Amino acid sequence: MKILVAIKRVLDYSVKVRVKTDHSDVDLANAKMSMNPFCEIAVEEAVRLKEAGVASEIIVVSIGSKAVQETIRSAMAMGADRGIWIDSGEAALSPLTIAQLLAKVVQAEQPSVVLLGKQAIDSDDNQTGQMLAALCDYPQATFASKVTIADSKATVVREVDGGLQTLQLALPLVVTTDLRLNEPRYVKLPDIMKAKKKPLDTQTPESLGVSLNNSVKMIKVEPPSERKAGIMVPDVDALINSLKNQAKVL
Amino acid sequence: MIRDQEILNILLDTIERFVRERLIPLEQEVAESDQIPESIVTEMKALGLFGLSIPEEYGGMGLSMEEEVLATMVIGHTSPAFRSLFATNNGIGSQGIVMDGTSEQKAHYLPQLASGDLIGSFALTEPDSGSDAASLRTQAVRDGNHYILNGTKRYITNAPEAGIFTVMARTDADKKGADGISAFIVERGTAGLTVGSIDKKMGQKGAHTADVIFDNCRVPVSQLIGGREGIGFKTAMKVLDKGRINIAALCVGVSERMLDDALHYALERKQFGKPIADFQLIQAMLADSKAELYAARSMVIDAARRRDAGQDVGTEAACAKLFASEACGRIADRAVQIFGGAGYLAEYGIERFYRDVRLFRIFEGTSQIQQLVIARNMIRAAS
């Protein structure tokens, strides 16, 4: 059984985000970049399915400039077998375009399971997995917190507003991962060396027959407003009083 | 060896993340208990930290000197005690075998050192022989298929944890200096070898040193490194050249951490109505530290690259160790100064680093010995 994992290179979660002075975008100059944490959970889940003997091959795919090769190699160090880099240069891509590119890879590779992070921590769109499932006409299970695959069926526990929902789905399917699905491993340093030798295939939007029509335009980026200084109150009565009369929230 | 920027970035990112998420939160606990928790030692072994510099054919990573110093700098972003546990396996505790060991010695010991199953320790210093290492007095007398070792070694890093010791001992009593010294691999548990109690130190709690005492300790002839007498001191000096570049890299890493902590404190701490980072006298301390740190970092990387290119780096290694360790001491002092009263309190951690880094100007050759090495090499080259 083949698993395809789509991953995204984003600003590292530990970096303080800065907005460009012209508000056109987030400033990525010299910023530390790494794999989107939800994508990391997706890779980890694929590796665990392979270690459990459920999956036989893990393919990772990522879209972007040459730098995403490093993110693909990180996934290989975690245990992915081979990679596909879709060289889209520096173009800004909308979730739909990304889903269209990934759909072409799904078509060519015919995986039984496609794993994605539920969203990327840069734009937090939470759309690509759903769009990909629709384009491929695959069943989808988003926000997965437990994935079990047996007898050509997937049982997925999803985190929903009211609690947990359990779905049973036929393969092939699309799963997007939530935070509590697993805790990704620390890569073993010798495995990083092995990642160097794993095959990495290059594709382009042209070779996949997808035109980059960007349906989304970013107009302006602004930093969140600065938090105002708080006040100390002596006791609960004073707290209730100021919530009622100053903050007017009670 | 990596020789590939992408893979090197992933390696450094992985170590950096482990340091940030697993080691930094434990700093205070390790300092208080003088013990690195067993569970974190297991994680360090699983990650591969014990085999960074051991050749790939023996299960290590075989990092080049340049790659190794970059890794050491990242590891330096936390308490040096963590590094100390695996540093001997990557450095003085294994390199004698890597550089001059017989093929049997390499095949037997290096895989166990690379995995961390065995901790290697380096026993050169003695009660009456420190900087003047060639005057060491531990004796190794041949007796049939064995050598009989007698003597005491002092301040031996990881002695309480070590499974093997690289021991420098005098095999030829008639040769007073370096030529009479040989290197042996002595296994823990060998009759006649005892490890003293753990030394009480100024800092670097969690990293242990102790005396190692040899009392008629019989060591098989096969344990003589390289199978030849009289090359031990040269082995030790080669090991120390590499070690000095690594210590300089560690100084850079810890300096980066201290300066980063001081900068963030200066941005948050307000006096006279504004962050103290706005004051020029604070800025001067930050800027001097940054400039010295940049110089030290550049020296370390240059020395490492020269060594990778096969050059003799005796002078460069001593220059880098001298400058980086002295700069580290100045940066630690300024960092405490920027923290002010908080810098003197244990809970802010900066006073712990201040004590930890004091050792850097002393071990693997004091600053004064580095000065002598540098000047002697200059004079020799000119005359």
Side-chain angles (χ1 to χ4, degrees):
Chain A
M1 192 186 91
K2 237 192 234 186
I3 300 183
L4 178 71
V5 189
I7 59 172
K8 186 175 185 185
R9 182 177 174 86
V10 298
L11 191 65
D12 188 85
Y13 75 93
S14 66
V15 171
K16 197 175 166 197
V17 179
R18 285 193 181 77
V19 174
K20 283 186 180 172
T21 46
D22 65 358
H23 295 276
S24 60
D25 204 344
V26 167
D27 190 0
L28 295 180
N30 297 324
K32 181 171 160 55
M33 307 288 284
S34 47
M35 197 191 305
N36 174 42
F38 291 109
C39 299
E40 218 173 9
I41 293 170
V43 175
E44 175 68 30
E45 194 63 18
V47 174
R48 289 186 189 190
L49 286 168
K50 192 178 170 190
E51 285 170 348
V54 177
S56 54
E57 190 185 23
I58 303 166
I59 308 147
V60 284
V61 54
S62 192
I63 306 168
S65 64
K66 192 168 187 302
V68 304
Q69 285 191 33
E70 188 176 306
T71 313
I72 295 172
R73 293 280 176 208
S74 302
M76 289 173 171
M78 287 176 75
D81 298 294
R82 61 187 170 91
I84 301 167
W85 165 41
I86 303 175
D87 180 2
S88 62
E90 302 295 333
L93 305 176
S94 65
L96 183 59
T97 311
I98 291 166
Q100 285 167 340
L101 289 165
L102 294 178
K104 294 291 182 181
V105 176
V106 170
Q107 216 172 49
E109 295 287 348
Q110 297 289 317
S112 303
V113 178
V114 184
L115 279 167
L116 303 93
K118 69 168 181 175
Q119 64 198 69
I121 60 166
D122 49 2
S123 50
D124 282 319
D125 286 330
N126 184 359
Q127 297 175 3
T128 304
Q130 293 87 332
M131 288 175 171
L132 176 63
L135 290 173
C136 299
D137 202 20
Y138 281 8
Q140 59 175 298
T142 52
F143 316 142
S145 66
K146 189 164 194 275
V147 177
T148 317
I149 292 170
D151 307 325
S152 305
K153 282 196 195 77
T155 309
V156 179
V157 180
R158 305 179 59 225
E159 300 204 355
V160 293
D161 286 348
L164 299 175
Q165 180 190 48
T166 305
L167 298 179
Q168 197 171 69
L169 309 98
L171 303 185
L173 85 164
V174 172
V175 176
T176 75
T177 59
D178 213 325
L179 193 64
R180 280 160 288 273
L181 179 59
N182 60 49
E183 202 176 314
R185 67 196 61 198
Y186 289 99
V187 173
K188 293 189 174 69
L189 304 184
D191 289 342
I192 297 174
M193 309 291 270
K194 287 178 201 147
K196 188 162 76 165
K197 299 186 186 83
K198 291 182 178 176
L200 203 169
D201 183 30
T202 306
Q203 298 278 357
T204 61
E206 296 75 47
S207 71
L208 293 169
V210 175
S211 62
L212 303 181
N213 293 326
N214 203 349
S215 53
V216 179
K217 191 179 168 196
M218 181 137 65
I219 298 167
K220 194 178 180 189
V221 178
E222 279 191 272
S225 54
E226 287 227 359
R227 244 182 92 186
K228 293 195 183 81
I231 54 162
M232 294 287 284
V233 290
D235 52 33
V236 176
D237 287 343
L239 176 66
I240 291 171
N241 183 38
S242 56
L243 286 174
K244 256 186 191 155
N245 301 319
Q246 280 176 272
K248 297 190 196 311
V249 291
L250 287 183
Chain B
M1 214 175 306
I2 297 177
R3 300 274 188 236
D4 177 311
Q5 194 58 46
E6 241 168 48
I7 296 293
L8 179 60
N9 288 347
I10 297 171
L11 176 91
L12 298 176
D13 278 354
T14 304
I15 299 175
E16 200 259 354
R17 185 167 170 180
F18 183 75
V19 165
R20 185 177 62 210
E21 294 177 354
R22 306 295 294 149
L23 302 184
I24 290 179
L26 283 173
E27 286 173 356
Q28 194 69 19
E29 183 192 325
V30 169
E32 278 163 17
S33 64
D34 193 19
Q35 191 69 44
I36 301 172
E38 201 48 50
S39 59
I40 209 80
V41 176
T42 307
E43 284 186 45
M44 281 155 61
K45 287 178 185 174
L47 198 66
L49 290 173
F50 287 77
L52 296 175
S53 71
I54 293 172
E56 284 176 80
E57 59 201 288
Y58 299 110
M61 304 271 296
L63 296 188
S64 69
M65 192 75 228
E66 183 181 352
E67 293 159 355
E68 195 183 342
V69 295
L70 292 171
T72 301
M73 288 176 193
V74 175
I75 292 159
H77 293 163
T78 185
S79 291
F82 291 112
R83 176 189 174 272
S84 183
L85 185 63
F86 58 84
T88 49
N89 278 34
N90 287 305
I92 55 180
S94 72
Q95 292 301 310
I97 302 173
V98 171
M99 289 173 182
D100 288 330
T102 63
S103 50
E104 292 79 16
Q105 288 165 348
K106 289 180 184 176
H108 184 65
Y109 290 111
L110 293 181
Q112 300 179 67
L113 288 165
S115 66
D117 290 340
L118 195 65
I119 303 285
S121 185
F122 182 76
L124 172 66
T125 298
E126 298 181 357
D128 295 318
S129 149
S131 291
D132 182 13
S135 72
L136 65 84
R137 294 208 295 229
T138 296
Q139 294 283 345
V141 178
R142 180 82 185 245
D143 178 36
N145 282 331
H146 286 79
Y147 284 92
I148 301 170
L149 269 62
N150 278 293
T152 299
K153 297 292 180 178
R154 183 142 291 172
Y155 313 134
I156 305 307
T157 303
N158 289 336
E161 289 81 14
I164 56 167
F165 298 86
T166 299
V167 182
M168 301 298 150
R170 194 167 292 286
T171 39
D172 190 339
D174 297 334
K175 290 182 183 157
K176 284 294 162 222
D179 290 346
I181 297 170
S182 303
F184 297 88
I185 308 164
V186 185
E187 296 190 1
R188 188 184 204 90
T190 307
L193 183 159
T194 45
V195 175
S197 55
I198 294 173
D199 296 331
K200 292 189 173 67
K201 308 191 304 306
M202 174 183 189
Q204 300 213 10
K205 298 284 166 62
H208 300 148
T209 64
D211 281 3
V212 182
I213 302 120
F214 301 92
D215 180 14
N216 287 322
C217 179
R218 290 176 69 85
V219 178
V221 171
S222 60
Q223 299 300 88
L224 177 65
I225 289 185
R228 280 167 55 208
E229 287 187 11
I231 59 161
F233 194 75
K234 291 185 195 84
T235 298
M237 291 305 113
K238 278 193 281 185
V239 168
L240 288 177
D241 260 3
K242 184 169 188 285
R244 281 169 185 168
I245 305 178
N246 248 321
I247 296 299
L250 179 62
C251 293
V252 168
V254 182
S255 296
E256 285 173 347
R257 165 68 185 275
M258 294 187 296
L259 186 55
D260 195 51
D261 283 1
L263 174 63
H264 282 98
Y265 185 82
L267 287 167
E268 275 171 21
R269 168 76 173 166
K270 289 197 172 91
Q271 285 293 281
F272 306 102
K274 50 184 174 180
I276 61 170
D278 284 357
F279 296 110
Q280 290 184 338
L281 292 178
I282 297 288
Q283 289 176 1
M285 288 195 275
L286 291 171
D288 283 351
S289 301
K290 183 74 179 175
E292 288 188 71
L293 185 45
Y294 181 50
R297 189 183 175 90
S298 304
M299 288 171 84
V300 169
I301 290 173
D302 179 71
R305 284 183 181 160
R306 286 174 188 272
R307 190 177 184 280
D308 283 337
Q311 294 181 27
D312 178 351
V313 292
T315 303
E316 288 77 8
C319 288
K321 203 270 180 182
L322 171 66
F323 183 82
S325 62
E326 293 288 332
C328 186
R330 291 190 291 272
I331 291 166
D333 192 76
R334 292 186 199 115
V336 170
Q337 197 67 18
I338 291 169
F339 270 81
Y344 203 67
L345 295 189
E347 72 176 281
Y348 287 84
I350 198 75
E351 64 81 34
R352 187 185 65 237
F353 278 109
Y354 179 84
R355 287 181 286 113
D356 286 349
V357 306
R358 189 61 186 83
L359 180 63
F360 297 158
R361 289 153 62 194
I362 299 169
F363 75 166
E364 301 217 20
T366 62
S367 288
Q368 290 66 38
I369 288 294
Q370 310 303 336
Q371 288 173 317
L372 294 184
V373 169
I374 297 163
R376 276 180 199 153
N377 287 351
M378 288 168 69
I379 293 163
R380 193 182 306 141
S383 54

